[in-house]
Amino acid sequence: MSVSTADAPLSVPRSSRHRAPGAGAVFQVEVAKISAQFLPRLVAAACLIGPFVFALIMRTQTSVPADTLFGRWVHTSGFAIPFVVLGFAGIAGFPLLTSVVAGDIFAGEDRHMTWKTVLTRSCSRKAVFAGKALAALAFSATMVALLALSSTVAGILLVGWKPLINLSGTVMSPGRSLALVLQGFGMALIPTLAFTCMAILFSVASRNSLAGVLGPPVTGLVMVLLSMMGSGLVVRSILLTTPFEAWHGLLVVPRGLTLFLLGLVVSTVYSYLCLSAAWAMVRRREFTGETGGVGGAAAWKRLGRAAVIGLAIAAVVAVAAAFDRTWISSHRVEDSVGATFSNLVRVQQTMLGHPERARSFTVSPFCARESAGGGVSQGAGDDWVCQLNVNGARLGQLGLSYTVVVRPNGCYTAEGPPGLVGGQRIREPGGHSAVNPLYAFDGCLIAP
């Protein structure tokens, strides 16, 4: 599990030997060590090749990941591929990528008993800490950029440079789609760097590479589970995994940036606290006389206490999530589903060669949860039903019933009656088969 090991002593670049090496010199050495390790190379290869494998599998199969945002469009637009990859990576992929290096970059020195060697080469503790932290952050940023580049190129080459329908049902040009892909990965970089700082804390505190590498992804999965327990504003706002969903706001109309701005603050706080705690441990630690490694009962007791504290915090947050106030209401669901459906009617009729049919029509939505009875409908659930009354000069009068699954993050999937909106595929005037945008569609509520 070693990546930033001390297989070679911390040497100083020749140009810096005339003065005490600082964080920059340590950074150069750490980058060279990371580049020479097998595991970081393997992770980089996975980020580079993985999206091509995924796009190739999607191209050769008729099934699609319809339970994910943009999963229905992976055969239609190449820009759906990076958005699907971005959605999957936000669950556990980014925290794991960050911890591969950051989780071992300090613990590796303990395992190889090289702290005294490193700290006796005229490098101050502050310089060593800063250089190692910068190297870990640089690796994380590089992996996010590599994943963004490879998934975008894979989608364009294997699927095509075609427009994409956003989460409000409007068509985006290829150039606009590309810009939003890059912005989405840029937003995901912010919490990724915060998880890197968390991995650094795990590495310093545990002095164990296994705990350092596995700590952040396990913490991320716990946060994902907590976020699925409720749709409250307070609890979801303090979880570091929530900012990974901020890119949803780029793909709705009007654009919603509240989650991004809140995630920026939350990620900054996590990063500051983790780095401050890690630096305090390094600064106060006594390295003289150590025999190295984590081994011994004391180290495992520390890990056990940390696990108990973490579980206690998770339990408190879980209870808070159950009583937290939700922001998902019938009013917001009606506004989003009604507007998205209206936009998709225009898209469908244009695909069928009858754009004039959708030039003048109205949609009156009424959405409620079946479990609410006559009470107030709010919160996430799979029992939402939206009645859509459509009136138009060329469309006539239609009453459509959509079953809607609303997730705790405010995104939803609506499925309509095939007898009225058509099947999964429709036939375009040229004879080509295409995805029916009204059969089922995804959307996201705009966060308050």
Side-chain angles (χ1 to χ4, degrees), residues 89-103:
I91 297 176
F94 286 135
L96 181 59
L97 290 178
T98 62
S99 63
V100 167
V101 166

Side-chain angles (χ1 to χ4, degrees), residues 87-400:
F88 280 127
I91 297 176
F94 286 135
L96 181 59
L97 290 178
T98 62
S99 63
V100 167
V101 166
D104 183 64
I105 200 165
F106 287 93
E109 305 291 353
D110 289 282
R111 185 175 63 258
H112 291 274
M113 298 175 287
T114 52
W115 272 118
K116 290 186 290 184
T117 302
V118 171
L119 295 175
T120 55
R121 291 186 175 272
S122 303
C123 290
S124 66
R125 294 193 184 196
K126 187 175 182 179
V128 172
F129 180 84
K132 284 179 171 289
L134 288 174
L137 292 170
F139 176 81
S140 298
T142 302
M143 293 303 101
V144 173
L146 186 60
L147 192 61
L149 177 63
S150 62
S151 60
T152 303
V153 174
I156 294 174
L157 292 181
L158 298 179
V159 181
W161 178 273
K162 296 180 181 179
L164 180 67
I165 297 177
N166 65 14
L167 297 176
S168 290
T170 59
V171 179
M172 303 184 300
S173 66
R176 177 63 175 168
S177 300
L178 177 60
L180 292 180
V181 166
L182 299 179
Q183 292 177 34
F185 275 92
M187 286 183 171
L189 176 61
I190 296 173
T192 299
L193 296 179
F195 266 104
T196 304
C197 297
M198 182 186 295
I200 291 174
L201 176 59
F202 272 101
S203 182
V204 172
S206 67
R207 308 183 194 179
N208 184 298
S209 296
L210 184 62
V213 173
L214 296 182
V218 171
T219 303
L221 287 176
V222 171
M223 289 184 177
V224 169
L225 293 176
L226 291 173
S227 68
M228 295 174 62
M229 297 180 64
S231 54
L233 285 169
V234 177
V235 172
R236 289 186 58 83
S237 297
I238 64 176
L239 298 177
L240 189 53
T241 51
T242 302
F244 284 122
E245 301 169 348
W247 62 273
H248 299 166
L250 297 173
L251 297 157
V252 294
V253 179
R255 175 181 291 194
L257 296 179
T258 301
L259 190 58
F260 166 69
L261 297 176
L262 181 61
L264 180 61
V265 174
V266 171
S267 299
T268 301
V269 171
Y270 271 90
S271 301
Y272 174 78
L273 293 177
C274 290
L275 287 181
S276 298
W279 164 238
M281 294 178 188
V282 172
R283 183 181 58 187
R284 298 173 183 175
R285 181 176 167 187
E286 180 60 52
F287 293 98
T288 60
E290 289 188 357
T291 57
V294 179
W300 290 107
K301 285 182 179 179
R302 287 198 301 270
L303 294 176
R305 286 195 297 267
V308 171
I309 294 173
L311 290 175
I313 294 175
V316 173
V317 175
V319 173
F323 295 95
D324 197 5
R325 180 174 62 90
T326 182
W327 62 283
I328 299 174
S329 63
S330 58
H331 175 70
R332 286 194 173 93
V333 175
E334 288 171 356
D335 288 345
S336 181
V337 172
T340 303
F341 176 83
S342 298
N343 293 330
L344 290 175
V345 169
R346 298 183 178 91
V347 173
Q348 185 205 51
Q349 293 302 311
T350 300
M351 293 171 63
L352 295 174
H354 306 290
E356 70 282 354
R357 292 182 180 178
R359 288 176 181 172
S360 177
F361 72 98
T362 59
V363 177
S364 300
F366 175 78
C367 300
R369 296 188 66 176
E370 293 180 336
S371 61
V376 178
S377 296
Q378 60 182 10
D382 59 357
D383 58 345
W384 282 87
V385 176
C386 288
Q387 301 291 336
L388 304 178
N389 297 315
V390 184
N391 294 279
R394 295 179 179 271
L395 294 175
Q397 296 183 353
L398 295 175
L400 306 176

